[in-house]
Amino acid sequence: MGIFSRFLPKRKPVEIKNNVPKEKEEIRKTFGVYCHSHHNTSGSKLCPKCTALLTTVMTKISRCPYGITKPICERCDRPCFGTKQTKEFRSIMQSTQKKMFLRHPILAFKHKMKSWGVDYAKHEQEKKQAAKAKARSKK
Ligand SMILES: [Zn+2]
């Protein structure tokens, strides 16, 4: 395969989209919805615990090793928030998903699409790896 790939046309450069500001907005809104309904806060204020977690998340996103084309943090294989905070973050994002669809339907839908995109990419990668393993075992 290595020999043939040299003759294949080179891939066109893909336009790089900066997903970070959008994701930050989604996370901030999700935290707002979650904190308002669970911790009796309102407006743009969050309780100290949610504020602390959100601050960590925002800082880490800005320093994401994947850069601006990063996958969504919820689905990252190498989440960098630390075990405990990643768990809290994921449970907030997941438990608030339904409410987000009611309050911010378009935003929530786009976020869901990104999550499906991650599933699809993973599925394709697994398929490729399985095919490779198969080819190897034939030799
Ligand atoms: Zn809270």
Side-chain angles (χ1 to χ4, degrees), residues 7-52:
F7 299 105
L8 292 171
K10 271 192 186 153
R11 271 207 206 154
K12 277 186 193 157
V14 188
E15 200 188 317
I16 295 172
K17 235 168 103 188
N18 187 351
N19 298 319
V20 176
K22 272 259 168 67
E23 192 180 359
K24 280 186 173 173
E25 191 198 339
E26 282 158 11
I27 293 172
R28 208 171 273 132
K29 283 203 168 136
T30 308
F31 267 67
V33 172
Y34 173 83
C35 191
H36 294 349
S37 70
H38 286 80
H39 307 137
N40 289 318
T41 50
S42 65
S44 56
K45 277 202 170 170
L46 300 181
C47 75
K49 206 187 157 208
C50 292
T51 306

